[in-house]
Structure formats: C-alpha cells, structure tokens
C-alpha cells in the first residue's frame, strides 16, 4: 500500500517519514490483534471446575480449581499467543514462495524473537524489580532453559550441517516431537515440585494457598465481567 508508483521520486527525508508513520500504524494493528488474542487465551486458561476433596477427618468438601495447569498453559497457549506474529509471518512467506527457495524472513524472525525474549526480556524483568527474585520451581526452569538452548543447536544442525539450507520432512517432524517432549518433561517437573511442596507445608500454609487460589479465580471472573 505504500510502495505505489512515483514514491521513489519523493525526497528521501519525506519518504522516510511516510514509511515510519505507516510502520507505526502496522505495529498498532499488531498490538491490537495480539491483545485480543491474549485475552481469549486468558479466558481459556481461567476456566475452573468443582472437585471433591476429603480432609484429614474424612469429611468431603468441594473446591473450585483451575482446569489448565499453569506450566502447560504457559508452554502451549501463552507461547502461541506471544509468538503469533512471527508464526504468521513465516506462514505467509512460505505460502507466498511455494516452489521457490525459502526467504530469510521466517528463520530470522523466529531466531530474533527467541533471542530477544531470552536476553532482553529477561534482563528488563530483572532490572524492573526492587529486590532480587527467587525462581520458585527450578525444575521447570531448568527444563525450559535446556530446551531453549537446544533449539538453537538443533536449528543450526538442520540448516548448516545435516541438509544445508534445507529442512526435510523428517527434521520437521522431529522438531514437533521435541516440543511435546518439552511439555511432558516440564509437566513432570512441575508435578514433582508440587508434590514436594505439599509434603513440606503445614495445614495453615495449605489453607492459605487454597484461599489464594480461590481469590485468584474470583479475580479472573471479575476481570471477565469487566471486559
């Protein structure tokens, strides 16, 4: 829409201003779409169900709990929502260049986004807090960190060592399988840590956690009503 006939005759300074304004317009559109997408994911992950428990005295009681596990939600739906722009860019480029050599947009966008999240977002999150934060679940953090670094090694192996500049069907299926292995290992680490925490907590701490979870669920319901 911007590269119309005659624009190359415009002064470079004016053309740069026009391109910059149009680029800001595109970023605004992406932010609106991404915000709506993330709100939809929040609605999905905040769904609850009533589950029956039995206390130490043998008396049953009902408790409203979240359907989605937070670790699974972060690694699947939340990751999909935050990576939707680069995924769509890669798909558009792949569909638009069928039968032709792949362009640099897809791989560069994904690698750049992952590097930005790993380095810049982590650094800003650390600087933004007043005091150091402790990682609560080290097991899940270790699994995701190892797989994040492995992803770079695997991408380099596929494109530079095994089949240079070509991604085969086998490599694509293996990449997809690695993702499910990541989700499974992270879920196992999350459950092991939750079991360890449950054994270490007293009855008062368990009651406080239950109240915090109930309050979180109520806040999610109020947020949806407000929206």
């Amino acid at each position: 829409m911007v590269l119309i006939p005659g624009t190359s005759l415009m002064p470079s300074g004016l053309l740069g201003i026009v391109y910059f304004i149009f680029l800001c317009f595109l970023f605004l559109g992406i932010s609106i779409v991404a915000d709506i997408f993330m709100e939809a994911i929040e609605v999905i992950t905040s769904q609850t169900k009533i589950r029956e428990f039995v206390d130490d005295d043998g008396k049953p009681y009902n408790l409203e709990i979240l359907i989605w596990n937070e670790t699974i939600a972060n690694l699947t739906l939340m990751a999909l929502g935050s990576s939707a722009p680069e995924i769509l860019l890669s798909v558009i480029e792949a569909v638009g260049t069928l039968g032709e050599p792949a362009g640099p947009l897809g791989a560069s966008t994904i690698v750049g986004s992952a590097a930005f999240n790993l380095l810049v977002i982590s650094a800003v999150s650390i600087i933004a807090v007043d005091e150091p934060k402790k990682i609560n679940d080290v097991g899940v953090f270790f699994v995701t960190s190892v797989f994040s670094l492995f992803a770079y090694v695997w991408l380099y192996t596929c494109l530079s060592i095994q089949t240079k500049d070509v991604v085969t069907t086998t490599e694509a299926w293996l990449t997809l399988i690695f993702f499910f292995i990541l989700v499974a290992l992270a879920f196992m680490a999350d459950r092991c840590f939750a079991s360890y925490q449950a054994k270490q907590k007293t009855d008062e701490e368990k009651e406080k956690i239950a109240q915090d979870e109930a309050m979180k669920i109520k806040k999610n319901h109020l947020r949806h009503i407000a929206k």
Side-chain angles (χ1 to χ4, degrees):
M1 291 185 294
V2 177
L3 298 176
I4 57 178
T7 54
S8 60
L9 301 177
M10 297 172 60
S12 299
L14 179 61
L15 198 59
I17 295 174
V18 173
Y19 283 170
F20 178 76
I21 294 174
F22 187 73
L23 187 63
C24 292
F25 175 76
L26 293 179
F27 275 121
L28 178 62
I30 292 175
S31 66
I32 294 174
V33 174
D35 186 53
I36 295 174
F37 195 83
M38 292 302 296
E39 287 182 359
I41 292 176
E42 287 180 359
V43 172
I44 297 173
T45 55
S46 63
Q47 292 180 356
T48 61
K49 64 179 180 180
I50 303 298
R51 186 175 177 182
E52 184 175 335
F53 293 89
V54 179
D55 58 17
D56 297 335
D57 298 330
K59 297 180 179 179
Y61 64 95
N62 295 327
L63 184 63
E64 188 177 15
I65 61 174
L66 293 171
I67 296 177
W68 278 84
N69 177 270
E70 291 184 355
T71 298
I72 299 298
N74 288 331
L75 290 176
T76 55
L77 294 177
M78 292 299 179
L80 175 62
S82 61
S83 302
E86 51 263 33
I87 293 175
L88 292 176
L89 282 175
S90 301
V91 172
I92 291 172
E93 185 190 45
V95 173
T97 58
L98 289 177
E100 302 176 4
L105 179 61
S108 300
T109 303
I110 294 174
V111 173
S113 174
F116 187 87
N117 293 335
L118 182 64
L119 301 176
V120 179
I121 299 300
S122 299
V124 172
S125 300
I126 294 173
I127 296 174
V129 297
D130 296 332
E131 56 185 18
K133 296 290 185 178
K134 181 181 178 181
I135 298 175
N136 187 37
D137 194 344
V138 182
V140 174
F141 177 77
F142 175 78
V143 172
T144 53
S145 299
V146 170
F147 271 82
S148 297
L149 298 177
F150 170 74
Y152 289 101
V153 177
W154 174 247
L155 182 63
Y156 177 77
T157 302
C158 293
L159 297 179
S160 300
I161 299 178
Q162 293 182 354
T163 53
K164 187 172 179 60
D165 297 332
V166 175
V167 178
T168 63
T169 305
T170 302
E171 292 170 343
W173 279 109
L174 286 175
T175 305
L176 184 62
I177 292 172
F178 290 150
F179 171 74
F180 288 105
I181 293 176
L182 162 64
V183 174
L185 292 177
F187 179 74
M188 291 171 58
D190 177 74
R191 291 297 85 202
C192 291
F193 183 74
S195 177
Y196 170 77
Q197 277 190 322
K199 294 179 181 179
Q200 300 296 322
K201 285 182 172 59
T202 62
D203 293 337
E204 293 181 357
E205 291 175 335
K206 292 180 181 179
E207 180 66 23
K208 186 177 184 303
I209 292 175
Q211 293 176 356
D212 293 340
E213 288 292 331
M215 183 61 66
K216 185 187 301 183
I217 293 172
K218 290 180 180 178
K219 287 181 179 179
N220 287 332
H221 289 328
L222 290 175
R223 188 186 303 117
H224 297 158
I225 294 173
K227 289 177 182 178

